[in-house]
Amino acid sequence: MTDLRVCHLYPEQLNIYADRGNIAVLERRCGWRGIGIVVQPCGVGDPLPDADLYYLGGGQDRDQLLIAPDLAGLSADLAAALAGGATVLGVCGGYQLLGHVYRDRDGGELRGTGLVDLETTAGERRMIGNIAFTCELGGESTVVVGFENHGGRTVLGPGVEPLGRVVHGNGNNGEDGGEGVRSGRLIGTYVHGPLLPKNPVLVDHLIRLALERRHGTVTLEPLDDALELRAHDAALAIAAK
Ligand code: GLN
């Protein structure tokens, strides 16, 4: 039986703007296809469990402060998991900690996992609003929509690819037009909302990537996404205003 193992890192601390909803979407879209799914939380002090997909939500600076030292301690295990074919998804505050460092507005530094070459520095003005960006996923072009709210400005290292190009909103830093990061099976984004309900192309891409670790190439049965696409288009229209 095809099944998906998901590890939800720090669900108590990294869960703002409905980020927990991303887990519910993974559970539903797997369940509707008869794909088993197990979601294992991993909190402060817990060893990193074996999983196909590691998920980190967003968090205010104080939340990131609570978990960053513990997460940094899991860097080697996460790097080994990635090298072993696992997929990593980080949203906003979780995304920022996939890089080397997050510098808050007071100059405080939180060490990240260093899984991808990027750095984030908080600026004066928060970047808040509806966002849309173009993105290429598994050979399919799509526009990802959602909501952003971050003080951090993320700068990708040389040769590091953004996940997409901003159409509406700020994205990584409001200047270079990039949104998020994609490095192998590691994906980071500033998009909350939550991210996945209104973006069926992205969530299915993640499910396929994650299933490949133990099941090889998997073809997902198509679902009736009429409702998801109506919500998507409504969010895109709002972002375009
Ligand atoms: N605390 C980080 C920032 O302000 C991330 C915020 C978030 O996850 N929404 O940039």
Side-chain angles (χ1 to χ4, degrees), residues 178-238:
E179 203 307 296
V181 70
R182 178 188 356 222
S183 174
R185 294 167 180 276
L186 177 149
I187 289 176
T189 177
Y190 270 115
V191 175
H192 291 283
L195 169 70
L196 299 179
K198 297 186 285 292
N199 298 296
V201 174
L202 175 57
V203 60
D204 282 355
H205 177 70
L206 281 166
I207 292 174
R208 268 194 304 272
L209 268 188
L211 285 174
E212 280 174 7
R213 182 177 81 112
R214 291 180 300 120
H215 300 286
T217 303
V218 173
T219 304
L220 294 180
E221 179 199 331
L223 295 173
D224 172 4
D225 286 329
L227 191 57
E228 288 82 352
L229 294 173
R230 270 177 47 212
H232 174 278
D233 297 350
L236 184 54
I238 293 168

Side-chain angles (χ1 to χ4, degrees), residues 42-64:
C42 179
V44 173
D46 294 343
L48 190 73
D50 175 69
D52 308 310
L53 174 61
Y54 294 89
Y55 168 67
L56 299 101
Q60 305 299 358
D61 289 11
R62 63 175 178 277
D63 304 313
Q64 292 170 293

